[in-house]
């Protein structure tokens, strides 16, 4: 009889790594089964729309995650597909992960399309503070129709910083984000820089939140909505017709005449 190539101990030792690899593969697959899916909700300024989903084993692992979405996905406007918004998870409520705005950016191909030969691109960095305590770093750029001198560029930078800081000081963070997306802030900057030199295009190419203020308060789950204060009630009118009440009162006594006073 031929002798076996391996003894029982040697065979078990050779097959053990394969069995351990299969066991570890099963454990990796089981981790996905234990994970849950959380809905990513946009901030209040975008009506808390669902912008995506993310898996996690625990709610604490979802905190701090950053997601990116275009304005086209939120509003359906194809002309804003080059604007990207960044949101960061700040609160977990059940399977809903609430986010807050942390910045925006524009695609590189859109920026390259605006910058052409024989034009001057003027960039600056502005730290603006909103009236609700948010500090946002805004990076605008102005493009002229032809080349300009450096002295004009310095004046344009000063004007851009002044306009952006004044607009932010009068607005909340939600209003600032809306003006950036809609282009109203860029229009204000272009109009202010026009006396120095005609501006062909102004864009807020990037922004980021440096200091986040107090987020908007959200009602607790299952709590009834707060009731508005009731207006004071008007006094109820007296019962019965007014004419009857006047008739029931006794008539006043007649005043003495002048003649009667002289006889007395």
């Amino acid at each position: 009889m031929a002798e076996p190539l391996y003894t029982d101990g040697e065979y078990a030792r050779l097959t053990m790594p394969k069995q351990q690899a299969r066991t570890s593969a099963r454990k990796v697959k089981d981790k996905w089964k234990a994970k849950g899916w959380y809905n990513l909700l946009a901030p209040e300024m975008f009506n808390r729309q669902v912008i995506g989903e993310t898996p996690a084993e625990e709610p604490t692992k979802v905190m701090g995650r950053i997601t990116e979405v275009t304005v086209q996905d939120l509003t359906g406007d194809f002309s804003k597909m080059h604007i990207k918004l960044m949101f960061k998870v700040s609160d977990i409520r059940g399977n809903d992960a609430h986010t807050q705005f942390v910045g925006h950016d524009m695609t590189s191909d859109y920026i390259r399309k605006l910058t052409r030969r024989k034009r001057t691109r003027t960039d600056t960095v502005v730290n603006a503070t909103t009236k609700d305590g948010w500090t946002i770093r805004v990076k605008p750029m102005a493009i002229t129709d032809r080349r300009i001198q450096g002295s004009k560029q310095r004046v344009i930078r000063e004007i851009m910083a002044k306009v952006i800081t004044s607009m932010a000081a009068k607005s909340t963070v939600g209003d600032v984000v809306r003006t950036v997306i809609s282009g109203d802030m860029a229009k204000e900057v272009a109009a202010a820089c026009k006396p120095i030199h005609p501006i062909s295009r102004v864009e807020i190419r990037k922004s980021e939140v440096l200091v986040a203020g107090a987020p908007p308060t959200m009602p607790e789950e299952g709590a009834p909505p707060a009731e508005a204060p009731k207006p004071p009630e008007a006094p109820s009118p007296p019962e019965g017709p007014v004419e009857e009440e006047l008739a029931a009162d006794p008539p006043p006594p007649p005043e003495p005449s002048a003649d009667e006073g002289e006889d007395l």
Side-chain angles (χ1 to χ4, degrees), residues 182-202:
S182 62
D184 293 339
M185 182 177 288
K187 292 178 182 177
E188 292 288 339
V189 173
C193 296
K194 187 176 181 180
I196 306 301
H197 191 87
I199 305 296
S200 61
R201 195 65 176 266
V202 174

Side-chain angles (χ1 to χ4, degrees), residues 1-8 10-11:
M1 178 181 292
E3 295 181 358
L5 297 176
Y6 303 102
T7 62
D8 294 341
E10 292 176 347
Y11 182 77

